[in-house]
C-alpha cells in the first residue's frame, strides 16, 4: 500500500529522446507492480530563477541581501528596540514605492505615527494618483493576520513590510500575540502567500535579552534570510549583517548612519572607524579588519599603565577579551615586557567589533607603543595573527585588506611572511615574529 504513495525515485539519467513522461518512467523492480510516474527531475530540466532581483534603492541593503531583493523571499530583520528597524524598512519601502506597489503593515504603531516618520524621512504625497496600482506606498495599521492576508491578496504588492511579527495574531489560536504558536503560525501563513503570489516579505522580529530573535527558533529556519541590525546606542553608525541567507553569502556587512533625516548609507565606512590622524597618540595602531568580503580600516587604541590592584585590570571594547589576555601573555613571555604589573585597556575607534585574529599584531603594537610611550608610525597598517610562540601567522583575504588600505592613502603595511602581495598598491613589509615588527612600527613620539 505504502509503495503507491511513494513518488520519488532515484535520479537516473534519461538517455532516450522520448517525451518527458516516458523518459521519467522508472524501471520496475517487480513487473506486477503498476507503473508509477516519476516526479523527480534533473537539474537541467528545471528552469532558472524566474525573476531578477529587485534593487531596494539602498545599495548597502542590496549588498547584504546578496545583490538585491529576491522576489517571493522572506527576510527577517532582528535588532534591539530603538536601533532603527522600522526606520530602515520604511525608508526602503519608500525607495521601492517609486517603482512598485508596496504594502507597509504597521502592527505596532498607528497610521499617524508612521506618517510622522515618513515625513521625517522626506516622504511627499505624489501629485497624480492613478487608478491602477503600479507603484506607491500603502499603509495598513492592522494586527489581525487574516485581514492582512486578505489585503495582500487584494493589493498584490511587490514587497510587504510586516512590522512586527510578534504583534500579529491569528484569531483561531487562543494564545497571546508574540507567543511561540502565534509567531510560528503567522510566519508560515505569510510564507505560503509570499511563495504563491511572489510577494517579498520584509519582517521585523524582536530580539530577546540575550540577542536572539524572540519566538521559536523555527522562525529562523522558516525564512530565507535573517538579517541583524546592530549598533552602539551612543554611536550613530548602524551595521546590517546577514546571519543566514539562502540567496547569498552571510557575514556581508552594510553600514548606515542614523542622522536626523533618517538612515543614510555610508559608502566609505573606513572613515568612521579611523581616529583623527593629526592627533595620533602613543598607543594607537591601524589595522584592516574584514567583515565578510568587506575590508574596513580601523584604528585601535591601547592604554597601558601601572596597576594599583592585586591583579591587573584588562578591558576591551570591540575586541575579544581572551585574545587580549593571550596577546599580553605572548608579549610578556616572548618580548619580555612585564605586563602582568600593568593595567591594559584596548578599544577600537567607533566601537566596531574586530574580534578576528588578523587584528592581533595591531593590538600587540598598540600595547607595546603605549607601554614604551612611543607612537606607531601613522603611515602603517598592521595585519597579522599572533601565535603563542610569538610568531606572526598568515591571515585570510590579505590582498583585499591591502587594497582598502591603499584606497585610504596608506603606503606601507606590516604583513605576515609568506603571503603573495603583488599589485596591491601598498609596500608590504613581511615579518615572521612579533619582536621584528616592534622595531619597524614604533617611532619616537613627536615633542609637543
Ligand atoms: P526605530 O526605527 O523606531 O527603531 P526600531 O523599529 O528598531 O525600534 O528608530 C528609533 C530611533 O531612531 C529613535 O530613537 C529615533 C531615531 N531616528 C533618527 O535619529 N532619525 C530619524 O529620522 C528617525 C525616523 C529616527
Ligand atoms: Mg519599530
Amino acid at each position: 500500500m505504502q509503495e503507491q504513495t511513494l513518488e520519488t525515485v532515484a535520479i537516473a539519467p534519461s538517455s532516450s529522446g522520448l517525451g518527458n513522461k516516458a523518459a521519467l518512467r522508472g524501471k520496475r523492480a517487480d513487473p506486477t507492480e503498476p507503473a508509477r510516474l516519476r516526479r523527480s527531475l534533473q537539474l537541467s530540466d528545471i528552469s532558472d530563477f524566474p525573476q531578477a532581483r529587485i534593487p531596494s534603492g539602498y545599495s548597502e541593503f542590496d549588498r547584504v541581501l546578496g545583490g538585491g531583493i529576491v522576489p517571493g523571499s522572506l527576510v527577517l530583520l532582528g535588532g534591539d528596540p530603538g536601533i532603527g528597524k522600522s526606520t530602515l524598512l520604511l525608508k526602503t519601502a519608500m525607495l521601492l514605492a517609486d517603482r512598485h506597489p508596496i504594502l507597509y503593515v504597521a502592527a505596532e504603531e498607528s497610521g499617524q505615527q508612521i506618517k510622522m516618520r515618513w515625513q521625517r524621512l522626506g516622504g511627499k504625497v505624489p501629485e497624480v494618483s492613478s487608478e491602477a496600482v503600479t507603484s506607491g506606498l500603502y499603509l495598513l495599521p492592522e494586527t489581525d493576520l487574516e485581514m492582512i492576508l486578505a489585503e495582500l491578496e487584494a493589493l498584490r504588492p511587490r514587497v510587504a513590510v510586516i512590522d512586527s511579527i510578534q504583534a500579529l495574531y491569528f484569531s483561531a489560536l487562543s494564545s497571546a500575540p508574540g507567543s511561540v504558536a502565534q509567531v510560528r503560525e503567522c510566519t508560515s501563513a505569510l510564507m505560503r502567500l509570499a511563495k504563491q503570489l511572489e510577494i517579498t516579505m520584509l519582517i521585523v522580529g524582536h530580539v530577546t535579552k540575550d540577542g536572539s530573535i524572540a519566538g521559536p527558533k523555527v522562525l529562523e529556519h522558516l525564512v530565507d534570510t535573517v538579517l541583524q541590525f546592530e549598533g552602539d546606542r551612543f554611536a550613530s553608525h548602524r551595521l546590517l549583517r546577514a546571519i543566514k541567507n539562502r540567496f547569498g553569502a552571510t557575514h556581508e556587512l552594510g553600514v548606515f548612519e542614523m542622522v536626523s533625516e533618517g538612515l543614510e548609507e555610508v559608502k566609505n565606512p573606513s572613515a568612521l572607524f579611523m581616529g583623527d590622524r593629526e592627533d595620533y597618540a602613543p598607543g594607537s595602531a591601524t589595522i584592516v579588519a574584514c567583515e565578510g568580503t568587506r575590508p574596513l580600516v580601523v584604528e585601535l587604541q591601547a592604554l597601558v599603565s601601572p596597576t594599583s590592584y592585586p591583579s591587573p585590570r584588562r578591558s576591551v571594547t570591540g575586541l575579544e577579551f581572551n585574545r587580549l589576555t593571550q596577546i599580553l601573555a605572548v608579549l610578556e613571555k616572548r618580548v619580555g615586557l612585564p605586563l602582568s604589573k600593568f593595567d591594559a585597556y584596548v578599544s577600537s575607534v567607533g566601537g566596531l567589533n574586530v574580534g578576528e585574529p588578523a587584528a592581533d599584531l595591531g593590538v600587540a603594537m598598540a600595547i607595546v607603543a603605549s607601554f614604551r610611550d612611543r607612537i606607531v608610525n601613522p603611515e602603517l597598517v598592521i595585519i597579522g595573527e599572533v601565535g603563542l610562540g610569538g610568531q606572526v601567522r598568515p591571515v585570510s583575504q590579505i590582498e583585499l585588506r591591502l587594497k582598502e588600505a591603499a584606497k585610504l592613502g596608506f603606503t606601507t603595511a606590516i604583513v605576515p611572511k609568506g603571503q603573495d602581495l603583488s599589485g596591491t598598491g601598498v609596500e608590504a613589509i613581511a615579518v615572521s615574529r612579533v619582536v621584528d615588527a616592534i622595531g619597524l612600527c614604533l617611532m619616537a613620539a613627536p615633542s609637543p
Side-chain angles (χ1 to χ4, degrees):
M1 266 287 80
Q2 212 194 345
E3 280 196 344
Q4 273 168 347
T5 60
L6 273 178
E7 301 244 1
T8 44
V9 283
I11 299 170
S14 59
S15 52
S16 70
L18 295 171
N20 229 2
K21 280 184 184 174
L24 288 172
R25 217 178 286 277
K27 272 225 171 93
R28 279 167 282 150
D30 174 6
T32 58
E33 189 190 324
R36 281 181 275 120
L37 204 62
R38 276 195 180 168
R39 289 240 192 125
S40 54
L41 295 173
Q42 281 203 304
L43 290 175
S44 53
D45 298 331
I46 296 171
S47 58
D48 291 336
F49 224 93
Q51 269 160 316
R53 291 171 183 254
I54 310 164
S56 68
Y58 263 140
S59 59
E60 293 291 301
F61 195 31
D62 291 345
R63 163 196 201 101
V64 178
L65 289 173
I69 297 172
V70 175
S73 64
L74 254 77
V75 179
L76 183 64
L77 176 69
D80 287 335
I83 205 74
K85 300 180 293 298
S86 303
T87 308
L88 175 69
L89 293 188
L90 182 61
K91 184 71 193 187
T92 306
M94 288 164 66
L95 293 169
L96 281 163
D98 287 342
R99 290 159 289 140
H100 309 279
I102 309 296
L103 181 66
Y104 191 103
V105 178
E108 286 183 355
E109 290 163 293
S110 68
Q112 279 83 9
Q113 280 173 304
I114 304 288
K115 184 161 185 186
M116 247 169 66
R117 184 178 290 133
W118 175 78
Q119 282 165 336
R120 196 168 164 186
L121 295 174
K124 291 190 187 69
V125 181
E127 279 167 24
V128 278
S129 62
S130 66
E131 278 297 296
V133 178
T134 52
S135 65
L137 180 58
Y138 293 80
L139 182 69
L140 178 68
E142 182 59 72
T143 53
D144 184 340
L145 176 71
E146 281 156 304
M147 303 287 276
I148 293 166
L149 294 178
E151 181 62 18
L152 284 166
E153 277 199 71
L155 181 69
R156 302 274 172 122
R158 203 85 185 82
V159 175
V161 175
I162 312 289
D163 189 1
S164 68
I165 191 72
Q166 277 86 6
L168 299 195
Y169 80 95
F170 179 39
S171 52
L173 295 177
S174 56
S175 50
S179 65
V180 171
Q182 285 282 4
V183 168
R184 185 168 45 207
E185 198 52 46
C186 292
T187 312
S188 334
L190 288 170
M191 179 167 72
R192 281 193 294 274
L193 203 67
K195 304 289 166 193
Q196 188 193 333
L197 303 181
E198 283 223 327
I199 301 171
T200 300
M201 306 272 179
L202 305 178
I203 302 171
V204 174
H206 290 179
V207 298
T208 56
K209 250 190 242 150
D210 66 355
S212 58
I213 290 166
K217 197 75 186 163
V218 70
L219 188 60
E220 283 167 64
H221 291 300
L222 270 178
V223 300
D224 298 307
T225 305
V226 180
L227 304 179
Q228 179 79 29
F229 204 35
E230 55 191 46
D232 195 329
R233 219 163 254 287
F234 307 106
S236 61
H237 69 267
R238 299 281 181 273
L239 306 177
L240 185 67
R241 230 182 263 281
I243 296 171
K244 161 186 173 176
N245 194 353
R246 287 186 181 147
F247 306 113
T250 49
H251 305 298
E252 278 302 345
L253 184 77
V255 186
F256 295 86
E257 191 168 10
M258 187 62 97
V259 294
S260 58
E261 310 81 44
L263 274 175
E264 270 177 14
E265 307 186 77
V266 179
K267 294 269 166 64
N268 177 16
S270 286
L272 270 179
F273 307 118
M274 277 164 61
D276 188 355
R277 300 274 99 188
E278 306 289 289
D279 186 23
Y280 212 66
S284 291
T286 310
I287 61 158
V288 191
C290 247
E291 286 277 353
T293 58
R294 173 162 237 177
L296 294 166
V297 175
V298 183
E299 186 182 320
L300 300 179
Q301 297 181 336
L303 181 68
V304 175
S305 62
T307 188
S308 49
Y309 301 95
S311 63
R313 287 178 58 84
R314 274 88 180 80
S315 135
V316 286
T317 311
L319 288 131
E320 259 184 60
F321 186 81
N322 287 342
R323 288 210 86 82
L324 171 67
T325 51
Q326 188 175 315
I327 293 164
L328 289 168
V330 169
L331 288 174
E332 176 130 26
K333 182 90 179 169
R334 310 287 171 200
V335 184
L337 308 182
L339 290 167
S340 53
K341 296 186 183 67
F342 288 77
D343 293 336
Y345 306 88
V346 185
S347 65
S348 71
V349 169
L352 182 78
N353 195 346
V354 286
E356 57 164 350
D360 288 357
L361 191 58
V363 174
M365 291 307 111
I367 291 168
V368 178
S370 176
F371 180 80
R372 296 201 176 150
D373 214 17
R374 303 280 207 86
I375 66 166
V376 173
N377 185 344
E379 260 127 59
L380 285 181
V381 288
I382 303 166
I383 303 164
E385 179 180 343
V386 171
L388 288 180
Q391 28 340 46
V392 176
R393 289 212 292 244
V395 303
S396 63
Q397 297 175 300
I398 184 110
E399 259 191 77
L400 205 68
R401 297 175 200 258
L402 292 186
K403 282 185 183 153
E404 176 71 10
K407 244 199 283 177
L408 287 157
F410 288 89
T411 52
T412 320
I414 303 292
V415 299
K417 214 169 205 132
Q419 293 198 290
D420 175 33
L421 302 166
S422 40
T424 50
V426 174
E427 189 201 342
I429 304 173
V431 294
S432 54
R433 310 193 60 79
V434 176
V435 211
D436 307 336
I438 295 174
L440 292 165
C441 291
L442 297 201
M443 51 193 261
S447 41

